[in-house]
Amino acid sequence: MSLTIGVTGGIASGKSTVARAFAALGIPWVDADDIAREVVEPGEPALAAIAERYGARVLDDAGGLNRRALREIVFAAPEERRWLESQTHPRIRERLEARLADMAAGPAPYHLLVSPLLLESGQATLVDRILVIDVPEAEQVQRTANRDGVDETQARAIIAAQLDRRARLARADDIIDNSGNEAALTRQVEALDRRYRRLAEARR
């Protein structure tokens, strides 16, 4: 049985960059954000429920989800966010479980579940170890502002809405410091790859 590593971190911490570094070593991964987008595509039951609740204002001209409009609704009202999560989280989990099972049956010694909400959504129960990608908050703010085109106040509000950095680090089995350069990141990924391969071998 293949080992499952949960990869998480705050916004703009570099989760996808880390996943691609592991992929270069032959390690498969699934991204919960990709699954979250899948479950609200046109024709999906979750999108139909969202449109029924909020109307055409949350749909774009092609009938797809207007993410910005929906984000404004749920960001302003916690009860609406909870309702949205009740529609999407069970469907996301079901698909994640299927993808993880497929990877576990494959040849790789371990695989990754990359999820920004790994700890908040209960997805941590799907993994054997938790790898936290960590960067200082000041760097998070700068990266978020540059990447998403928001100002510093908005970037800090997004970070504040996520799990506290210290709480996240307290749950970690392993930590990657992604505040350095690409070479430093690669060294950390390669060291963890060796560790995970040993752990996977010990489980056989």
Side-chain angles (χ1 to χ4, degrees):
M1 178 66 80
S2 180
L3 196 69
T4 305
I5 308 299
V7 180
T8 194
I11 189 171
S13 58
K15 295 179 291 295
S16 295
T17 301
V18 168
R20 286 191 292 270
F22 276 103
L25 300 173
I27 302 305
W29 57 293
V30 60
D31 191 325
D33 275 352
D34 291 340
I35 304 299
R37 283 188 283 271
E38 281 183 19
V39 302
V40 291
E41 286 177 351
E44 292 285 347
L47 181 59
I50 291 166
E52 183 178 349
R53 186 172 181 91
Y54 302 120
R57 60 181 169 151
V58 296
L59 299 177
D60 59 26
D61 293 339
L65 182 64
N66 183 329
R67 297 178 187 282
R68 182 185 294 272
L70 182 61
R71 191 162 51 241
E72 287 173 357
I73 293 169
V74 300
F75 200 71
E79 67 276 11
E80 295 304 326
R81 186 167 122 186
R82 286 192 291 272
W83 178 86
L84 178 64
E85 289 172 350
S86 76
Q87 298 299 309
T88 58
H89 283 190
R91 293 180 169 102
I92 293 167
R93 187 182 180 93
E94 183 179 352
R95 294 194 189 192
L96 283 175
E97 288 176 346
R99 304 285 173 89
L100 291 171
D102 286 344
M103 289 190 293
Y110 68 95
H111 52 272
L112 310 179
L113 165 55
V114 181
S115 175
L117 297 176
L118 184 79
L119 302 175
E120 298 95 317
S121 66
Q123 292 170 4
T125 59
L126 298 174
V127 307
D128 300 300
R129 292 182 72 84
I130 295 169
L131 169 58
V132 169
I133 316 306
D134 186 53
V135 294
E137 186 172 306
E139 190 163 343
Q140 256 190 297
V141 170
Q142 184 176 5
R143 289 184 187 181
T144 302
N146 293 342
R147 187 189 72 182
D148 297 346
V150 298
D151 61 27
E152 181 178 333
T153 301
Q154 288 174 300
R156 289 191 181 280
I158 293 168
I159 292 167
Q162 297 186 325
L163 186 66
D164 176 78
R165 180 187 179 193
R166 281 175 293 189
R168 188 185 297 116
L169 289 170
R171 297 281 304 277
D173 295 300
D174 307 293
I175 298 169
I176 283 181
D177 175 4
N178 195 22
S179 60
N181 57 26
E182 185 177 347
L185 177 63
T186 299
R187 283 194 298 272
Q188 293 177 83
V189 168
E190 289 175 345
L192 283 173
D193 176 65
R194 292 191 292 271
R195 178 187 299 173
Y196 294 154
R197 288 175 187 272
R198 288 195 300 270
L199 290 171
E201 182 63 30
R203 283 181 52 156
R204 292 185 187 279

